[in-house]
């Protein structure tokens, strides 16, 4: 188990460095940052001065290594706009986004797993048909539209829930429903597909032959074998929720890291954009690592590979 | 004494678009407490599915009908699911063919062994653990206490099958259904595994239905044998009766297909032709299209069962005819 962890960790670090390099390069390829920063109508001398001031006149490798050296020490530089340390800005906002993402994933899983199991047990039955309908709806409806619909219905018409802000747990309900509905379909279909395969397996027949109850057969013997891809995709979904909450955060006026990223892109605040990109990919990598470890815990055979 | 298993006129069919696939066509047999009853036949003859039906584990689409199907006097067919679950694994248990897939890969063997004991409320975790270790030692897994934490993939096929055997014995069943228990194993460990199974069976006084296509295994282990062909039992009797003097041309043909003996060095005889389609009814003898003795009277109706003491067979020909016109297929040698 330890050597499995070490090997996965090395891979994760390699992926992290690659991602930071690519994101750093992409941001610099998006245009001449000094030109944009100096503003419209700036003279050539002013642009050169701006480039020197922000270190943009140095070679790409030097800029990257300088930034990386800071990043590993937790120093992501300062915002060009507010002059606050970037790290502080990210830490202030990431909590809300992370909470939103985790709750959304849990909401998605709580619906997806039982529904997927039921759909598989009675494949082709009405539960299965209904689950398919719900999945298609969840995937096909754009989240901004669904969000506005919920705001209109529960916030404006029924006045049950607040329509914006991030004060109190009630303000999380609608965003969590919107984002959870977005990730639920693939998790549900994966659970269903995995279960249908596993229910045909010999060891499930053994479990029936042992006289175990349907609950034990489905949830203990079958589900644990069917759930491995669901765990892996959950990690990916969580990363997606963290990075993809920009729209939902802005609709519900939630002060999360997605909203910060959106604002910073508008202001050409490139140290912030750069760091958020890196920060989110780092979280993504850590989540994938955790998913690998959970799977290794669930299936002893994975520990060998 | 009442028989442990009493099956009369069992039919199993699977509805297909082309018609009903009749995989079991009116078979009857009994199993007495403690005895070993073998069912032999080739793939697809219905030997497995007929015993799965006894456990209520037939494929979902299959339709099971019988005049009588009882285990310990209780009617399996009318038994509610929950009641069937209570006797499965406890009063009757099953050993499947492939030990590589019959165990759940994500749980330790200890967990899978003790589970059946505790789930049926026969005792607590400690008692279950002691029983599991005792059984593992009996099937020859030494140092069983330490090996309880192993996962199936950490054991060889032969050892896994021994775990499956121990698992089937956990609740001290009255009947074990062993479906090709050694077929998936290396030849070198087949005899050993069979010996272990036989030993436990006699120690516990458990009856066994042994499903096999291996006549050698049957001859070594079984008390009585039924030969199945195309969903029918064509011949049944004690192993001595059936092996020494087969009364049905199919059984006769099977015996002559065993390598060695008279054909040593020659070409191994085979039974020409193929099994008839199992869709719909078969008029006449199920074996007639491959039988060298077939004549007009074989073509119509169901062939009645003829009895010679406990030895029963479905063939209109006299044993003398069969003995005299013996093995035309053997003529294919050289």
């Amino acid at each position: 188990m330890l050597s499995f962890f070490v090997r996965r960790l090395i891979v994760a670090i390699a992926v992290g460095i690659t991602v930071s390099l690519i994101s750093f390069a992409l941001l610099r390829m998006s245009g001449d940052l000094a030109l944009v920063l100096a503003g419209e109508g700036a003279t050539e001398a002013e642009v050169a001065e701006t480039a020197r001031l922000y270190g943009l006149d140095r070679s790409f490798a030097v800029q990257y290594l300088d930034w990386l050296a800071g990043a590993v020490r937790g120093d992501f530089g300062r915002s060009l706009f507010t002059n606050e340390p970037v790290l502080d800005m990210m830490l202030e906002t990431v909590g809300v986004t992370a909470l939103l993402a985790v709750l959304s994933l849990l909401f998605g899983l709580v619906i997806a797993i039982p529904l997927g199991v039921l759909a598989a047990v009675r494949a082709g039955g009405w539960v299965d048909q209904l689950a398919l309908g719900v999945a298609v709806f969840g995937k096909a409806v754009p989240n901004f539209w669904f969000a506005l619909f919920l705001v209109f219905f529960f916030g404006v018409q029924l006045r049950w829930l607040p329509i914006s802000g991030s004060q109190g747990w009630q303000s999380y309900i609608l965003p969590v429903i919107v984002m959870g509905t977005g990730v639920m379909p693939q998790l549900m279909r994966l659970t269903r597909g995995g279960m249908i395969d596993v229910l045909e397996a010999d060891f499930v027949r053994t479990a029936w032959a042992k006289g175990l109850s349907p609950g034990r057969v489905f949830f203990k013997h079958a589900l644990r074998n069917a759930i491995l891809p669901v765990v892996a995709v959950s990690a990916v979904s969580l990363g997606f929720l963290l990075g993809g909450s920009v729209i939902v955060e802005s609709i519900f006026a939630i002060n999360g890291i997605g909203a910060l990223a959106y604002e910073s892109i508008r202001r050409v605040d490139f140290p912030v954009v750069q760091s958020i990109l890196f920060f989110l990919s780092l979280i993504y990598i850590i989540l994938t690592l955790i998913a690998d470890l959970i799977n290794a815990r669930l299936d002893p055979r994975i520990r060998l590979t | 004494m009442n028989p442990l298993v009493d099956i009369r006129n069992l039919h199993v069919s699977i509805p297909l678009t082309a018609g009903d696939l009749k995989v079991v066509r009116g078979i009857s047999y009994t199993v007495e407490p403690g005895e070993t009853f073998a069912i032999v036949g080739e793939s697809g003859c219905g030997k497995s599915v007929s015993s799965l039906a006894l456990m209520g584990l037939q494929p979902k689409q299959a339709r099971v009908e019988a005049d009588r199907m009882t285990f310990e006097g209780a009617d399996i067919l009318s038994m509610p699911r929950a009641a069937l679950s209570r006797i499965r694994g406890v009063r009757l248990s099953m050993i499947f063919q492939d030990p590589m897939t019959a165990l759940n890969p994500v749980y330790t063997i200890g967990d899978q062994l003790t589970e059946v004991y505790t789930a049926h409320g026969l005792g607590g975790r400690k008692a279950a653990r002691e029983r599991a270790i005792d059984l593992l030692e009996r099937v020859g897994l030494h140092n069983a206490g330490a090996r309880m934490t192993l996962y199936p993939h950490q054991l060889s096929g032969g050892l896994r099958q021994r775990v499956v055997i121990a698992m089937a014995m956990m609740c001290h069943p009255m009947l074990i259904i062993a479906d090709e228990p050694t077929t998936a194993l290396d030849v070198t460990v087949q005899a050993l595994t069979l010996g272990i199974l036989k030993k436990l069976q006699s120690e516990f006084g458990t009856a066994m239905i042994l499903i096999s296509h291996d006549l050698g295994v049957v001859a070594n282990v079984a008390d009585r044998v039924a030969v199945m062909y195309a969903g029918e039992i064509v011949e049944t009797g004690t192993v001595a009766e059936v092996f020494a003097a087969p009364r049905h041309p199919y059984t006769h043909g099977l015996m002559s297909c065993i390598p060695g003996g008279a054909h040593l060095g020659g070409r191994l005889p085979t039974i020409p032709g193929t099994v008839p389609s199992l869709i719909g009814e078969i008029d006449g003898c199920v074996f007639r299209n491959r039988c060298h003795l077939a004549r007009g009277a074989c073509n119509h109706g169901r062939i009645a069962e003829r009895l010679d003491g406990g030895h029963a067979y479905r063939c209109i020909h006299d044993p003398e005819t069969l003995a005299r016109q013996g093995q035309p297929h053997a003529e294919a040698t050289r």
Side-chain angles (χ1 to χ4, degrees):
Chain A
M1 192 71 185
L2 188 69
S3 81
F4 173 81
F5 177 71
V6 171
R7 271 179 315 196
R8 283 298 140 107
L9 196 63
I10 291 170
V11 172
I13 291 170
V15 172
I17 291 172
T18 312
V19 166
S20 70
L21 193 58
I22 292 174
S23 63
F24 201 82
L26 278 176
L27 204 63
R28 268 154 191 70
M29 284 193 302
S30 66
D32 189 340
L33 292 171
L35 198 64
V36 183
L37 283 171
E40 252 176 275
T43 62
E44 231 169 271
E46 281 168 339
V47 172
E49 174 60 18
T50 311
R52 202 190 53 75
L53 194 63
Y54 293 113
L56 293 169
D57 54 343
R58 296 170 299 168
S59 75
F60 176 80
V62 172
Q63 286 186 46
Y64 173 70
L65 290 174
D66 184 40
W67 176 83
L68 188 68
V72 293
R73 279 183 282 115
D75 176 11
F76 290 91
R78 284 173 181 273
S79 162
L80 302 182
F81 190 77
T82 63
N83 204 32
E84 261 185 277
V86 175
L87 186 65
D88 291 356
M89 294 170 81
M90 291 195 298
L91 291 181
E92 258 167 47
T93 50
V94 76
V96 174
T97 302
L99 184 63
L100 193 59
V102 168
L103 290 176
S104 302
L105 179 67
L106 288 180
F107 176 78
L109 284 173
V110 161
I111 293 180
I113 290 176
L115 198 57
V117 170
L118 281 178
V121 168
R122 296 257 180 275
W126 68 269
V127 175
D128 193 18
Q129 304 282 340
L130 183 76
L132 181 63
V134 170
V136 170
F137 172 82
K139 219 53 217 172
V141 169
N143 61 1
F144 66 86
W145 184 87
F146 190 43
L148 291 174
F149 171 78
L150 290 182
V151 165
F152 178 73
F153 195 70
F154 291 103
V156 179
Q157 291 287 328
L158 296 172
R159 296 179 176 278
W160 285 357
L161 294 164
I163 56 171
S164 69
S166 45
Q167 318 83 29
W169 58 271
Q170 297 96 332
S171 44
Y172 282 96
I173 294 178
L174 293 182
V176 162
I177 291 175
V178 171
M179 289 170 63
T181 307
V183 293
M184 185 275 288
Q186 66 256 39
L187 298 173
M188 191 277 284
R189 295 299 287 178
L190 262 180
T191 307
R192 177 187 177 273
M195 281 295 286
I196 285 178
D197 285 347
V198 171
L199 286 176
E200 295 290 310
D202 282 358
F203 61 80
V204 168
R205 191 174 55 171
T206 305
W208 287 121
K210 283 159 92 173
L212 303 179
S213 65
R216 264 183 117 89
V217 175
F218 296 142
F219 287 96
K220 180 180 172 184
H221 284 274
L223 185 59
R224 183 149 164 188
N225 281 277
I227 202 95
L228 302 177
V230 179
V231 172
V233 171
S234 291
V236 177
S237 299
L238 192 56
F240 174 79
L241 289 169
L242 281 169
S245 61
V246 179
I247 293 167
V248 175
E249 280 183 16
S250 57
I251 289 176
F252 291 99
I254 291 170
N255 193 20
I257 202 165
L260 178 64
Y262 179 69
E263 279 299 300
S264 302
I265 290 169
R266 265 182 357 113
R267 302 174 195 152
V268 207
D269 198 346
F270 74 88
V272 180
V273 177
Q274 169 70 57
S275 302
I276 291 178
L277 262 176
F278 179 69
F279 193 63
L280 287 181
S281 18
L282 206 63
I283 293 178
Y284 203 96
I285 291 164
I286 293 169
L287 290 172
T288 322
L289 186 67
I290 292 173
D292 281 346
L293 293 178
I294 293 177
N295 272 348
R297 180 88 207 100
L298 288 174
D299 188 345
R301 291 168 301 177
I302 293 176
R303 293 168 215 163
L304 297 174
T305 51
Chain B
M1 192 150 56
N2 287 325
L4 190 63
V5 176
D6 190 353
I7 292 179
R8 285 181 211 162
N9 198 22
L10 171 68
H11 288 265
V12 181
S13 53
I14 297 170
L16 299 178
T17 42
D20 281 2
L21 188 73
K22 296 180 181 296
V23 283
V24 177
R25 303 164 174 262
I27 67 169
S28 305
Y29 64 82
T30 58
V31 180
E32 303 296 329
E35 82 165 334
T36 301
F37 179 70
I39 304 177
V40 293
E42 56 199 278
S43 308
C45 71
K47 58 191 193 298
S48 286
V49 80
S50 60
S51 359
L52 285 173
L54 183 58
M55 288 202 85
L57 289 176
Q58 68 278 5
K60 247 184 273 171
Q61 327 83 297
R63 212 170 51 238
V64 178
E65 291 159 323
D67 294 344
R68 186 180 166 85
M69 184 155 81
T70 61
F71 172 76
E72 295 189 304
D75 181 17
I76 297 280
L77 281 177
S78 65
M79 199 179 276
R81 265 190 98 77
L84 198 56
S85 284
R86 278 197 292 277
I87 63 167
R88 271 187 206 154
V90 184
R91 304 301 294 172
L92 77 167
S93 59
M94 186 136 192
I95 295 170
F96 292 106
Q97 177 169 350
D98 190 353
M100 307 309 268
T101 55
L103 293 168
N104 195 327
V106 301
Y107 292 104
T108 62
I109 60 168
D111 182 89
Q112 297 187 56
L113 279 162
T114 52
E115 176 185 36
V116 61
Y117 196 78
T118 51
H120 287 291
L122 298 183
R125 298 179 69 88
K126 195 159 168 288
R129 189 181 152 77
E130 277 166 18
R131 172 130 182 110
I133 292 173
D134 175 50
L135 274 166
L136 286 179
E137 293 281 357
R138 282 175 190 239
V139 297
L141 256 82
H142 301 300
N143 196 12
R147 290 166 105 165
M148 291 277 280
T149 55
L150 293 181
Y151 288 93
H153 71 269
Q154 293 169 306
L155 297 171
S156 70
L159 288 183
R160 279 192 222 185
Q161 193 64 314
R162 293 195 213 174
V163 172
V164 172
I165 292 170
M167 199 160 81
M169 287 293 182
M170 274 300 284
C171 301
H172 201 148
M174 290 302 290
L175 174 70
I176 281 194
I177 299 172
D179 187 356
E180 304 268 11
T182 59
T183 307
L185 302 180
D186 288 345
V187 180
T188 46
V189 295
Q190 283 186 358
L192 180 67
T193 309
L194 210 57
I196 289 166
L197 180 56
K198 194 70 192 160
K199 185 184 72 130
L200 275 189
Q201 188 203 353
S202 63
E203 281 171 13
F204 285 71
T206 305
M208 173 157 74
I209 296 178
L210 175 72
I211 298 158
S212 183
H213 67 270
D214 187 333
L215 295 171
V217 166
V218 171
N220 279 328
V221 175
D223 300 311
R224 288 189 305 127
V225 59
V227 180
M228 278 190 80
Y229 182 80
E232 246 185 29
I233 291 182
V234 294
E235 178 162 6
T236 177
T238 64
V239 166
E241 286 166 343
V242 173
F243 278 66
R247 296 288 171 83
H248 194 280
Y250 177 62
T251 320
H252 203 274
L254 279 185
M255 301 294 169
S256 63
C257 296
I258 300 173
H263 322 297
L264 202 62
R267 212 178 156 82
L268 195 64
T270 53
I271 303 175
T274 52
V275 182
S277 162
L278 296 179
I279 293 176
E281 299 296 338
I282 296 175
D283 196 21
C285 174
V286 290
F287 189 59
R288 70 185 147 87
N289 67 337
R290 302 173 78 178
C291 181
H292 63 286
L293 297 176
R295 53 187 163 82
C298 300
N299 288 341
H300 302 291
R302 191 175 186 201
I303 305 300
E305 192 172 62
R306 295 169 73 183
L307 280 174
D308 178 4
H311 194 167
Y313 54 103
R314 289 186 185 273
C315 181
I316 60 167
H317 300 286
D318 291 326
E320 295 74 35
T321 320
L322 183 63
R324 201 167 52 243
Q325 298 195 18
Q327 308 153 357
H329 322 305
E331 287 161 14
T333 53
R334 302 255 154 141

